[in-house]
Amino acid sequence: MTRPVTLITGASAGLGVDFARQLAARGQRLVLVARRKDRLDTLADELGNARSVTADLSEAGAAEQLMAGLASNGEHVELLVNNAGFGLTGRFADLGGARQRQMIDLNCGALVELAHAVLPGMIERKSGAILNVASTAAFQPGPGMAVYFATKAFVLSFSEALHEEVRKDGVVVSALCPGPTATEFGQVAGFNGHPIVDPLTAKSNDVVTAGLAGLDSRQAIVIPGFANKLGAQGHRFLPRSLLRRIAGTIKL
């Protein structure tokens, strides 16, 4: 018999830390994954019922190695929180090609690989859940963050499809689509804020609370905050040509 664990990627900062704290408070045993070992170890020590795994999931073979480590520890994933990811601000042609490919590999490739690794067991046990962290960026193109917005559109579409595929198998797949959130994301992405965006910035802990509540209620898509829900429906009321220009004025 293997032990059930909750696997959280991108667990060293932002939403990942709050996911870890809230899920640990529910009594779940955690496996925390990120690149920054010092932060992971500190968080695992704080929580007590967690262990840390240092890994860069954008690297080839990293997800496979992570799953092998879980198996060797006698663990199976009951909840997967696919939170690892990053963005880059700037014109596509001006940003480094290798770094943008790394973004795709992490935001999309690793997410898909981990979901594929854990889903068969969940279906067999008729229990389990996957929470994929997307973004309100998934609902429109994003000039100035073209690849990032595209990766989140992929995550949303992929999550919705999986939700439908496994909903009768006792497994839940949800996409969490937060808007601007107070984390390190903007600093890493090179986005220094905007007068339109800043007033809408949510607290990380509140976003996580909404995401877990949506997962508990078996929602396919979770969008925290009324303004974000409204913004996600922009494509229903405005032409895409206008939506992409609005996004471009914020990011470019």
Side-chain angles (χ1 to χ4, degrees):
M1 291 289 291
T2 56
R3 301 185 304 276
V5 296
T6 290
L7 176 62
I8 304 173
T9 68
S12 64
L15 295 177
V17 172
D18 286 311
F19 272 120
R21 287 174 175 156
Q22 290 197 28
L23 290 168
R26 294 186 178 196
Q28 298 183 20
R29 176 162 182 79
L30 311 179
V31 176
L32 310 175
V33 184
R35 293 178 297 108
R36 292 175 285 195
K37 176 176 171 55
D38 55 341
R39 290 193 179 191
L40 281 182
D41 290 345
T42 298
L43 181 59
D45 289 344
E46 171 197 326
L47 300 176
N49 57 340
R51 71 179 183 89
S52 62
V53 178
T54 306
D56 183 349
L57 292 173
S58 68
E59 295 180 351
E64 182 179 2
Q65 186 175 356
L66 171 61
M67 297 309 302
L70 291 169
S72 67
N73 275 281
E75 299 164 334
H76 71 263
V77 177
E78 189 69 13
L79 169 59
L80 168 62
V81 180
N82 265 320
N83 173 66
F86 69 93
L88 293 173
T89 301
R91 294 177 181 272
F92 171 73
D94 296 335
L95 296 171
R99 183 64 169 158
Q100 293 187 88
R101 174 55 189 264
Q102 186 181 29
M103 192 196 319
I104 297 169
D105 291 341
L106 180 59
N107 295 10
C108 300
L111 178 144
V112 169
E113 192 172 354
L114 289 175
H116 190 265
V118 303
L119 260 180
M122 291 179 177
I123 293 170
E124 182 179 357
R125 293 187 299 272
K126 296 190 178 302
S127 69
I130 298 174
L131 181 59
N132 293 325
V133 178
S135 168
T136 52
F139 295 96
Q140 68 277 315
M145 294 188 77
V147 173
Y148 174 76
F149 274 55
T151 64
K152 293 306 180 180
F154 174 92
V155 171
L156 175 60
S157 178
F158 174 69
S159 301
E160 284 192 87
L162 288 192
H163 176 91
E164 194 64 24
E165 286 185 11
V166 303
R167 66 185 179 86
K168 295 181 179 179
D169 296 311
V171 181
V172 184
V173 179
S174 293
L176 174 59
C177 300
T181 306
T183 67
E184 297 176 1
F185 174 84
Q187 179 182 354
V188 174
F191 180 63
N192 298 317
H194 189 278
I196 295 176
V197 173
D198 295 347
L200 303 176
T201 300
K203 295 180 180 178
S204 173
N205 192 60
D206 292 341
V207 169
V208 168
T209 298
L212 294 179
L215 188 66
D216 291 341
S217 59
R218 309 180 75 85
Q219 295 179 35
I221 305 170
V222 184
I223 306 174
F226 176 77
N228 292 324
K229 288 182 173 66
L230 185 63
Q233 298 303 314
H235 64 282
R236 298 177 58 186
F237 308 109
L238 299 172
R240 289 183 69 84
S241 59
L242 181 57
L243 284 176
R244 64 178 177 258
R245 287 171 189 164
I246 292 172
T249 61
I250 294 173
K251 297 296 190 299
L252 291 175

